[in-house]
Amino acid sequence: MLLSTIDPATATALPLGGLADDLDLLIGDLETRFRAVGETLASTIDTVDRMATGLDEVQRALSPEVAGAAVDKLRQAAHRLGTIPEQRRQRAGQIGALTLRTRELRELLSDVAELLRTLSIYGMNIKIASSGEMSFVQFATGMEGKLDSGRRELKQFEQELASFGTVVRDVKEADDLLADECRKVPATVPAELSGDADVLERHLEATARMARDVRAIMQQVQAEVARILGAIQVGDSVRQRVEHCVAILRAAHAEHDAPGASAHLSRLVAAQMAGIADDFRREMSALVGSLAQLGPLAGGLMKIIAAQAQGEESEALNKLQSGIARLGHVTGRLSEADRQLEGLTAFVANTIADLTRGLGRIQRIAMDVQDISTNTRLLCRRHGIIGRAVAVIATEVNPCATRLTRLSSDIERVVQSLGLLDLHPGGSDGAGGSTGALDDALAVVRSACETSDHAMANGGDEARRIIATLQEDVGALQHEQVFADRLDVGAVVLNRQAIETALTPADENALHRLLPWAAGLYTMASERAIHAQFLLPGMEQPASAAPAFDEDDDGLF
């Protein structure tokens, strides 16, 4: 290639055809290299997109809806575990009250049973005292039937109370087990869980900050690369201008009979080549500067990713994962005991409801005995001497009825007091929820760890890839400054060999034909401005082919 081997200080002449061939080769190499730079820059945008995707995955793994809920659950578990000892002490008092009320109920039912036995004896005495009087015998038989019904009702109520007593004992045993498990849990567990929640919350905040910073940088990189990709079309504009120079050189080379016109056209091409070289240097300088600005952005991206991967929050997240797993084993036993207690206390509540419904049976017994007392007195008044003998017994029935009514009221009072006892002091959220909360939190943290580690590792690789790509592109574009130097060499030699002389009529005729033709080739405003300097007197300045873009079509920055 002539332009790469000649010395402008000593070169005397260049064959115009050979120079045109050189320019063709020169512009072909430039276009190939610019296309390669464009492709690597386009890959940078793809790299940034992949980083954005990884960042989105981290944000989803640590979103408020997912990780925020895990923070709340950790705090709930910490609060629950911290309040269990006090709640158990309160429940122990309630269980003691249940035991006392159960014992009191059992004594009241024993009194009712004793009264029913006494009334059965009175029924036998009525038969004896009435000397077999049929009306009294029938009355005593009916009385015994009601008492039998009452005993059956009483037995059913006693069975329910016995079941209740068994459940109360089971509740006490479960509560004692819970107390044992509480003693096995280190006193630091609630504080550790609360600390874990704080760590997770800080990590959420740090991730949100990192996401904002990284996204801002990525948007800058994408916008800048997109702008540079548009600007790098300099290769296309330069190619067009050099092709115009090649066409004019070949036309000049063909003018054997008009050497003055050929020299005039050569000087025009030299001016165009010098203009192309100046514009190319200026635009390459701006392009390389823009690419160089991307380096610090990519470096900043690298620093953010490295800080996030090695920062306190990231390390704390891994500790949090192991800490929750370790605490899960400790609280699992506690939660199992609490779940058992919850099942038993629910059964206690159901049994109390059964006892409350069973009050109607005791009340029916009291009403039946009251009826027996009233009917005994009425029957005695209708039977003279026999009635007076039986009346002695009737006077004993009435106090029994009164006593039974009072016992029924006492039983109702005790049963109602059972319903007021609360075996869930401080709320109904069992520690069974603690294990579920820890499991959920552990799943969230494990997912966050895996996603963050993967994204940070990939993000670091991608950032390094961007930096390497930019460095390679800057080097490649800086090397292209040689293109402008070779154009300058060609311009200097052309000007030296194309000495301006007086034009002959043949030269003028050729130029009147070739200069308008050359003007029709131009697509750039700068080409037309240079061309105007070489018009012959009387020639009109060439019209713009694209007026709307005259000032901008060859400007890149």
Side-chain angles (χ1 to χ4, degrees):
M1 182 181 290
L2 294 174
L3 291 176
S4 63
T5 58
I6 64 174
D7 182 355
T10 58
T12 56
L14 284 175
L16 298 185
L19 179 58
D21 292 339
D22 264 19
L23 289 177
D24 273 337
L25 292 174
L26 193 63
I27 194 61
D29 291 343
L30 180 69
E31 190 172 10
T32 299
R33 288 191 290 272
F34 268 58
R35 186 183 302 113
V37 171
E39 289 172 354
T40 58
L41 284 174
S43 71
T44 298
I45 292 183
D46 293 337
T47 300
V48 171
D49 287 339
R50 287 195 298 273
M51 292 179 69
T53 300
L55 184 62
D56 289 342
E57 291 174 355
V58 174
Q59 287 183 293
R60 280 193 294 272
L62 290 173
S63 66
E65 296 78 13
V66 180
V71 171
D72 291 340
K73 288 181 178 181
L74 279 175
R75 289 206 169 102
Q76 290 170 8
H79 173 73
R80 180 67 183 95
L81 292 172
T83 57
I84 281 179
E86 178 58 29
Q87 289 185 7
R88 198 210 64 80
R89 284 191 290 273
Q90 294 180 30
R91 186 163 47 238
Q94 301 291 319
I95 292 173
L98 277 176
T99 302
L100 289 176
R101 298 290 188 277
T102 303
R103 187 179 299 121
E104 186 178 357
L105 265 180
R106 200 172 285 115
E107 292 173 354
L108 290 172
L109 292 177
S110 178
D111 290 344
V112 171
E114 183 61 30
L115 280 174
L116 293 179
R117 282 193 295 272
T118 300
L119 286 169
S120 291
I121 294 172
Y122 288 158
M124 292 294 296
N125 290 341
I126 287 172
K127 289 182 181 180
I128 294 170
S130 65
S131 301
E133 171 61 36
M134 187 54 64
S135 56
F136 282 103
V137 171
Q138 291 176 345
F139 173 78
T141 302
M143 173 180 170
E144 184 61 26
K146 288 184 176 182
L147 292 175
D148 282 342
S149 176
R151 279 189 286 269
R152 286 192 297 272
E153 296 281 2
L154 181 63
K155 184 175 182 181
Q156 185 173 351
F157 194 91
E158 286 175 335
Q159 288 173 345
E160 291 173 352
L161 182 61
S163 297
F164 181 73
T166 300
V167 174
V168 169
R169 286 192 299 273
D170 291 342
V171 168
K172 185 177 184 310
E173 291 176 1
D175 203 47
D176 290 340
L177 174 62
L178 184 59
D180 292 338
E181 296 298 337
C182 280
R183 284 189 288 270
K184 295 175 184 176
V185 175
T188 58
V189 166
E192 288 178 14
L193 280 177
S194 182
D196 289 343
D198 293 340
V199 168
L200 187 54
E201 189 169 56
R202 286 197 300 272
H203 188 76
L204 290 179
E205 294 170 354
T207 300
R209 288 195 303 271
M210 182 271 291
R212 288 193 299 268
D213 294 343
V214 170
R215 191 167 295 281
I217 291 178
M218 288 193 301
Q219 287 172 346
Q220 285 182 272
V221 171
Q222 282 183 310
E224 194 67 19
V225 169
R227 190 175 72 84
I228 293 172
L229 279 173
I232 210 169
Q233 298 307 314
V234 62
D236 189 48
S237 65
V238 167
R239 177 184 56 77
Q240 292 181 42
R241 293 175 69 178
V242 172
E243 284 175 349
H244 300 158
C245 291
V246 169
I248 296 171
L249 279 175
R250 295 192 189 283
H253 179 64
E255 293 298 320
H256 303 293
D257 297 330
S262 178
H264 190 87
L265 291 176
S266 295
R267 290 193 299 275
L268 169 61
V269 170
Q272 293 285 10
M273 288 172 65
I276 295 171
D278 290 342
D279 290 344
F280 185 81
R281 285 193 184 92
R282 184 183 65 255
E283 291 167 356
M284 280 299 95
S285 177
L287 192 57
V288 169
S290 295
L291 281 172
Q293 290 177 9
L294 288 180
L297 288 176
L301 193 62
M302 187 74 184
K303 288 180 181 178
I304 292 173
I305 292 172
Q308 182 70 9
Q310 300 172 5
E312 176 186 354
E313 291 84 0
S314 179
E315 181 181 355
L317 194 61
N318 292 322
K319 290 181 179 177
L320 174 62
Q321 180 179 356
S322 59
I324 291 176
R326 178 175 58 83
L327 291 177
H329 296 304
V330 175
T331 57
R333 300 190 304 270
L334 181 59
S335 299
E336 180 59 34
D338 203 13
R339 274 195 293 267
Q340 181 184 4
L341 178 61
E342 284 204 18
L344 291 172
T345 51
F347 189 70
V348 167
N350 292 335
T351 306
I352 289 175
D354 291 340
L355 290 176
T356 301
R357 288 190 293 271
L359 285 174
R361 304 188 191 100
I362 303 299
Q363 290 166 350
R364 280 194 297 274
I365 294 172
M367 291 175 61
D368 286 346
V369 172
Q370 191 65 49
D371 288 345
I372 290 171
S373 174
T374 301
N375 291 334
T376 301
R377 290 196 301 273
L378 291 174
L379 192 60
C380 290
R381 290 173 186 167
R382 292 199 296 267
H383 285 81
I385 296 173
I386 295 176
R388 285 196 293 276
V390 176
V392 175
I393 302 171
T395 57
E396 300 297 330
V397 173
N398 187 54
C400 289
T402 302
R403 170 67 175 153
L404 195 55
T405 299
R406 192 163 56 250
L407 286 172
S408 175
S409 298
D410 289 343
I411 291 171
E412 181 178 8
R413 171 184 55 78
V414 174
V415 170
Q416 288 177 348
S417 69
L418 288 175
L420 298 176
L421 295 176
D422 182 14
L423 293 177
H424 288 292
S428 60
D429 56 330
S434 300
T435 293
L438 292 175
D439 290 344
D440 292 345
L442 182 58
V444 168
V445 172
R446 181 178 291 118
S447 174
C449 285
E450 293 172 353
T451 304
S452 295
D453 290 346
H454 180 72
M456 291 307 104
N458 286 349
D461 292 341
E462 302 287 22
R464 281 186 287 272
R465 191 174 294 115
I466 290 175
I467 292 172
T469 297
L470 294 176
Q471 290 173 340
E472 178 183 343
D473 289 345
V474 167
L477 290 177
Q478 286 175 332
H479 178 72
E480 294 309 319
Q481 299 290 354
V482 175
F483 175 81
D485 296 339
R486 290 178 178 171
L487 289 180
D488 279 339
V489 168
V492 169
V493 174
L494 274 178
N495 275 322
R496 184 182 299 152
Q497 71 187 42
I499 300 173
E500 186 173 0
T501 59
L503 298 176
T504 67
D507 292 328
E508 290 182 357
N509 288 334
L511 290 175
H512 275 285
R513 173 171 47 84
L514 292 172
L515 286 175
W517 164 78
L521 298 175
Y522 301 142
T523 56
M524 310 293 169
S526 56
E527 291 178 295
R528 287 186 285 274
I530 294 172
H531 184 87
Q533 301 171 21
F534 292 85
L535 296 175
L536 298 181
M539 281 187 173
E540 293 184 0
Q541 187 168 344
S544 170
F549 299 95
D550 273 0
E551 301 303 323
D552 298 324
D553 55 2
D554 53 356
L556 301 176
F557 292 90

